[in-house]
Amino acid sequence: MKVDIHTHILPSRLPDLKSRYGCAGWINIRPNEQDPNCADMYKDDKFFRRIEKNCWCLPERCCDMGKTNVSAQVLSTVPVMFNYWAKPEHTLDLCHLLNDDMAFQIRENQQNQARLYDLNNSHREQKFFAFGTLPMQKPELAIEEMSRCVNDLGFKGFQIGSHINEWNLDEKKLYPIWKRAEDLNCAIFVHPWDMEHVSRTSKYWLPWLVGMPAETCTAICSILMGNVLAQFPRLKICFAHGGGSFPFTIGRIQHGYDMRPDLCATECSIGPKEFLGKFYTDSLVHSQESLKLLVKVIGEDRIMLGTDYPFPLGELSPGSLIQSSDFNQSIKVFFFSYSNGA
């Protein structure tokens, strides 16, 4: 059994958000005129990305999952859809559209899978779970949507950005969100976005190759040194892309904390290394050397399969890095099971 906790999905169509909200800056999805199995994402009138049918169609995903022996996927939106810059009521409305669409697609798939099983009781069911999206720039609205998604839609958690506009994740205004996540016993999945660390150039795809790992490391440090995990010890929080650059730089981070407590220990009296084993990452690191380091630093019981499906920077053959590693089979099974973080 393989459960992929890091996959992305979009609706097959969106309303005209510019007209709906009366301002520019929104993503719209247009059918590709040459290929009905593709669509094009635009930000206003600027091309952003081409997506294939598996980005919006669960039956298409089921075919891919069957080929790669993936039993279940956890769905989350594409980070460009966060829209934390917008008016909170507009972001909340879009969250409703995206979250409701995920819930509808999951219910529809359950019905389809049941019909397939009735026709053939050897049919292997593909399951989907949801990580919702939230208007994080307005925590009061975010916690309302959290309760709605968990209690009414059956969501398992929420995907959030590595920062919320000018706020890092240690911002105290976000505390009600961490508290609600503890109370609902739901997961928080942190995905890097808006990679300003390397904004001086987009050459060589550096915002994605270098900026994303730096963003994730910044988010982890903000959670640890910002006293968030000390304040909310029951918070189940997972970071994408194997924690970014954090596993390789934790030695430097701890040394800085020890040498300059006047700068690094201002919010939390517990050193960063003391929190190892108290948060999760996915397994998306692309090399055996990185996977071994990740396991050594984060802990074998704190890593879960994540692929970034269906995008090309993800793991194209889900779980192949883990499966080809020299970890024993019981550990591999553990990585593949969402239950170690559920």
Side-chain angles (χ1 to χ4, degrees):
M1 179 178 181
K2 283 192 284 190
V3 180
D4 186 351
I5 69 155
H6 181 177
T7 78
H8 297 291
I9 192 169
L10 287 166
S12 59
R13 60 182 62 85
L14 285 169
D16 182 347
L17 299 179
K18 184 177 180 179
S19 298
R20 188 180 182 98
Y21 303 132
C23 61
W26 304 93
I27 289 288
N28 57 83
I29 301 173
R30 306 176 188 175
N32 185 280
E33 294 180 359
Q34 282 74 44
D35 188 346
N37 292 315
C38 291
D40 295 326
M41 297 175 68
Y42 283 81
K43 193 167 188 178
D44 297 326
D45 290 320
K46 184 179 180 182
F47 177 78
F48 176 72
R49 172 185 284 166
R50 179 157 295 163
I51 54 176
E52 297 181 1
K53 191 175 181 180
N54 57 6
C55 198
W56 71 81
C57 177
L58 290 195
E60 194 80 9
R61 284 175 177 248
C62 287
C63 292
D64 289 347
M65 293 164 68
K67 294 173 186 175
T68 55
N69 199 31
V70 173
S71 306
Q73 287 184 347
V74 182
L75 308 174
S76 56
T77 194
V78 180
V80 72
M81 304 303 292
F82 287 154
N83 294 300
Y84 299 147
W85 56 268
K87 290 182 179 179
E89 61 269 25
H90 293 164
T91 305
L92 176 63
D93 180 69
L94 180 56
C95 289
H96 286 163
L97 291 174
L98 296 172
N99 293 335
D100 289 350
D101 179 78
M102 270 197 289
F104 172 79
Q105 291 203 55
I106 289 171
R107 287 195 304 270
E108 194 173 57
N109 176 72
Q110 288 172 338
Q111 294 167 2
N112 290 338
Q113 294 289 316
R115 283 194 291 267
L116 289 171
Y117 184 81
D118 288 341
L119 293 172
N120 179 5
N121 59 17
S122 65
H123 170 71
R124 207 171 44 171
E125 181 182 5
Q126 275 95 26
K127 294 182 179 180
F128 296 96
F129 304 97
F131 282 168
T133 188
L134 300 167
M136 293 290 290
Q137 72 271 43
K138 190 74 170 180
E140 309 95 275
L141 297 180
I143 61 175
E144 291 178 9
E145 181 65 357
M146 291 172 76
S147 295
R148 184 184 82 91
C149 287
V150 172
N151 296 328
D152 298 345
L153 304 181
F155 283 15
K156 298 294 185 181
F158 300 91
Q159 177 190 235
I160 68 169
S162 49
H163 64 93
I164 317 300
N165 300 327
E166 298 303 313
W167 298 345
N168 280 321
L169 298 186
D170 58 345
E171 171 59 51
K172 290 181 172 57
K173 291 177 182 177
L174 297 172
Y175 276 20
I177 294 173
W178 313 137
K179 178 64 166 61
R180 184 60 55 91
E182 282 192 326
D183 292 344
L184 292 170
N185 193 32
C186 65
I188 299 292
F189 183 63
V190 180
H191 197 292
W193 82 300
D194 195 22
M195 293 77 71
E196 293 182 352
H197 290 81
V198 288
S199 60
R200 66 185 180 273
T201 180
S202 59
K203 199 174 180 180
Y204 314 124
W205 212 15
L206 289 182
W208 271 258
L209 302 184
V210 177
M212 276 193 165
E215 266 293 322
T216 306
C217 185
T218 300
I220 295 175
C221 289
S222 297
I223 288 288
L224 305 189
M225 292 193 281
N227 207 41
V228 174
L229 279 187
Q231 288 282 327
F232 303 97
R234 294 184 293 115
L235 183 64
K236 297 190 296 187
I237 190 165
C238 179
F239 298 89
H241 308 145
S245 57
F246 178 84
F248 189 78
T249 53
I250 178 57
R252 179 181 178 87
I253 293 163
Q254 181 65 46
H255 183 68
Y257 181 93
D258 294 337
M259 293 297 99
R260 291 300 306 266
D262 57 314
L263 298 177
C264 301
T266 57
E267 302 292 331
C268 186
S269 61
I270 304 170
K273 276 192 172 181
E274 295 300 310
F275 291 106
L276 296 178
K278 297 182 180 179
F279 60 92
Y280 300 84
T281 76
D282 70 16
S283 62
L284 188 55
V285 293
H286 300 289
S287 77
Q288 292 294 343
E289 295 81 6
S290 297
L291 182 62
K292 288 176 183 176
L293 177 65
L294 182 66
V295 172
K296 185 175 182 180
V297 173
I298 302 299
E300 64 187 37
D301 62 341
R302 289 294 182 268
I303 298 165
M304 294 173 281
L305 174 66
T307 68
D308 220 345
Y309 176 98
F311 297 128
L313 198 49
E315 185 177 30
L316 303 182
S317 178
S320 58
L321 184 68
I322 292 171
Q323 199 60 59
S324 62
S325 71
D326 56 10
F327 293 110
N328 67 54
Q329 190 60 29
S330 63
I331 292 176
K332 293 178 182 180
V333 170
F334 201 71
F335 292 160
F336 289 150
S337 173
Y338 177 58
S339 63
N340 60 330

